[in-house]
């Protein structure tokens, strides 16, 4: 359940916080007061695109926070949080997003997360119905999603099976296409592979050999510079006249001559002895390196030729010798396969035939589930539509075999409807008006709400295009959903607002140099006054308040406990 919404520095909102409760939470307000901003802030917290123009003028950053409860019985949500390594504190989930131009940070319970991770968590917490979502009913793809959602776990398991077998069959078909060869093409490929195999094999490659050869080659190429540098280094550090070794020997003789006069000079003489020892070791190692440094023209040519061979192989088969050797193994396997090409293709065809049969069986199973669920969904959805003032509605959910198989099976699902007696059912796109689509979507949400575990449903102006008795039916349906789910609904109709368990008003207040939007919960007579405003009255007369009071009492009769 969504416990609270905190918004700061977003559009006209300076800072506001609202605490929602169980049941039906209604939000109303004058046109332009900022109702859409609040719903938009929820979408922003869940990862929607942030535009710098949304930032309140003069502010450096905006903040949106959503606090949800996570009861112990909500195992799916807790498992998802464990999977994402997000700590759960006091059975609460805090989703927050701080936004700046060109930058935003999403967090769940203080842990920085990606938009994808927020989406994965939010899908288990909240279901958003935007102002224009009902338009998706005009597309048959949405009809299949609704039917599969109603079918529940059985459909999801069948869908996963179909998707897996579809990927397997598609992979085998692709393998067959890639390996279809005539005799000439087969001979050409075998000849090429044999040549390439022998070329790599004859090179007798050793992993890491190229690096060692390159170091040796670099040393040979620069041998003259190395020899010259070594000679100069030996002259400067050696024992010849002017060398460091000779100078150090003289310094030692001087120190030994005076060390007996002061114990501190003895320590200095020992330090100089150590330096002399290090320098002697250096000169000895330098001489040994000079003795090992030989120039062999034949060895140089052999190293150069070997490096050229290795580099040529790397250019053709991989950027490292390890990759060249891997390419060799692949070519060997390919040659083995081509050696028994007919047998290989025969086995591949057998695998493909089995995979396609398995896919067909999986699709048939999914179709049976969908057709069975279509009957149940037709019944409950028709009842829900009748409860929304579709008194003579006829509904059909067609599940027909399509021409193509996909990861979702081979079915085409379409909702057909007739809202007038005597008229045949037709596709929704040909029949339903905007207001009717809104009610149909509400009926669908009502039916699906009884099957899923999402606690919070948000409806943004589900009442578009309706009024009068139909509006009452919609309010009653929303209240029915609110008996088992938390419902948050933005509306401009008094019939729906009258059904509220909690009623909030969104207000825009003008200050000296700015305009601020805020939200507060209505108490007592304030609720009746807001209903009076929604009724379209210019003034709050006793007659208007009486009408609002009567409307509120009528709404309370629909609730399980008649209390205001």
């Amino acid at each position: 359940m969504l416990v609270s919404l905190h918004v700061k520095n977003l559009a006209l909102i300076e800072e506001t916080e609202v605490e929602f409760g169980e049941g039906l939470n209604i939000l109303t307000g004058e046109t332009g007061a900022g109702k859409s901003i609040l719903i938009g802030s929820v979408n922003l917290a869940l990862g929607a695109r942030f535009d710098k123009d949304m930032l309140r003028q003069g502010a450096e950053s905006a903040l949106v926070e959503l606090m949800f409860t996570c009861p112990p019985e909500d195992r799916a949500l807790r498992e998802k949080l464990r999977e994402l390594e997000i700590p759960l504190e006091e059975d609460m989930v805090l989703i927050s997003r701080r936004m700046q131009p060109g930058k935003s940070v999403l967090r769940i319970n203080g842990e920085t997360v990606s938009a994808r991770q927020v989406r994965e968590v939010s899908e288990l917490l909240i279901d958003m119905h935007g102002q224009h979502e009902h338009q998706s009913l005009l597309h048959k793809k949405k009809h299949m999603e609704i039917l599969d959602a109603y079918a529940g776990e059985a459909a999801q398991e069948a869908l996963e099976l179909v998707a897996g077998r579809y990927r397997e069959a598609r992979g085998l078909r692709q393998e067959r296409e890639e390996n279809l060869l005539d005799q000439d093409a087969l001979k050409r490929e075998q000849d090429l592979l044999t040549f390439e195999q022998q070329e790599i094999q004859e090179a007798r490659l050793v992993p890491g050999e190229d690096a060692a050869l390159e170091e040796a080659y670099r040393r040979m190429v620069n041998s003259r510079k190395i020899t010259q540098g070594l000679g100069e280094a030996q002259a400067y550090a050696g024992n010849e006249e002017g060398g460091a070794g000779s100078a150090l020997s003289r310094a030692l003789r001087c120190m030994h001559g005076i060390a007996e006069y002061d114990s501190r000079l003895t320590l200095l003489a020992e330090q100089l002895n150590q330096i002399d020892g290090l320098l002697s070791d250096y000169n000895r190692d330098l001489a040994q390196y000079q003795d090992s440094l030989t120039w062999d023209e034949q060895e140089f040519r052999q190293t150069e030729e070997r490096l050229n061979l290795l580099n040529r192989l790397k250019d053709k088969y991989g950027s490292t010798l390890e990759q060249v050797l891997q390419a060799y193994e692949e070519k060997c396997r390919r040659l083995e396969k081509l050696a028994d090409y007919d047998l290989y293709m025969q086995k591949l065809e057998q695998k493909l035939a089995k995979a396609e049969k398995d896919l067909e069986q999986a699709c048939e199973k999914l179709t049976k589930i969908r057709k069975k669920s279509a009957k149940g969904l037709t019944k409950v959805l028709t009842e829900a539509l009748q409860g929304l003032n579709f008194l003579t509605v006829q509904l059909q959910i067609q599940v027909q075999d399509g021409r193509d198989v996909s990861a979702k099976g081979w079915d085409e699902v379409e909702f057909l409807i007739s809202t007038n007696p005597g008229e045949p059912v037709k596709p929704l796109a040909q029949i339903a008006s905007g207001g009717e689509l809104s009610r149909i979507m509400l009926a669908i949400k009502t039916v699906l709400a009884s099957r899923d575990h999402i606690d919070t449903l948000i409806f943004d102006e589900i009442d578009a295009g309706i009024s009068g008795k139909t509006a009452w039916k919609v309010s009653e349906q929303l209240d029915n959903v609110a008996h088992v789910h938390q419902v948050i609904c933005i509306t401009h109709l008094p019939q729906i607002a009258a059904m509220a368990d909690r009623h909030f008003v969104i207000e825009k207040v003008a200050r000296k140099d700015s305009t601020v939007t805020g939200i507060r919960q209505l108490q007592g007579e304030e609720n009746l006054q807001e209903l009076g405003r929604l009724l379209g009255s210019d003034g709050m007369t006793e007659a208007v308040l009486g009408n609002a009071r009567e409307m509120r009492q009528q709404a309370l009769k629909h609730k399980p406990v008649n209390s205001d």
Side-chain angles (χ1 to χ4, degrees), residues 403-423:
R403 287 177 294 180
D404 300 317
V405 181
S406 72
K408 294 184 180 295
W410 57 28
D411 300 318
E412 287 186 359
V413 178
E414 185 170 21
F415 289 11
L416 306 177
I417 194 169
S418 170
T419 57
N420 297 311
E423 290 193 2

Side-chain angles (χ1 to χ4, degrees), residues 275-289:
I275 295 171
D276 183 55
L278 289 173
L279 186 60
S280 296
D281 291 342
Y282 164 78
N283 283 320
R284 183 174 60 255
D285 292 342
L286 182 63
Q288 289 177 352
Y289 183 87

Side-chain angles (χ1 to χ4, degrees), residues 427-442:
L428 283 177
Q430 298 179 21
I431 297 294
S433 65
E436 287 174 328
L437 283 175
S438 294
R439 281 187 286 158
I440 294 170
M441 180 59 86
L442 176 58

Side-chain angles (χ1 to χ4, degrees), residues 78 107 253 258 265 312 437:
R78 288 172 174 261
R107 289 189 174 90
R253 285 196 298 273
I258 59 176
L265 294 176
R312 188 173 70 253
L437 283 175

Side-chain angles (χ1 to χ4, degrees), residues 192-201 328 331-332 335:
L192 176 61
L193 285 170
T194 301
F195 170 79
E196 292 176 333
Q197 181 194 47
Q198 291 175 351
E199 183 179 37
I200 298 173
Q201 189 176 33
Y328 173 77
K331 293 177 188 305
C332 290
L335 272 171

Side-chain angles (χ1 to χ4, degrees), residues 4-7 13 15-19 65 67 519-520:
S4 66
L5 165 65
H6 175 216
V7 184
I13 298 175
E15 185 168 16
T16 190
E17 184 167 0
V18 54
E19 295 184 358
E65 295 178 319
M67 178 71 78
I519 180 171
R520 63 185 178 86

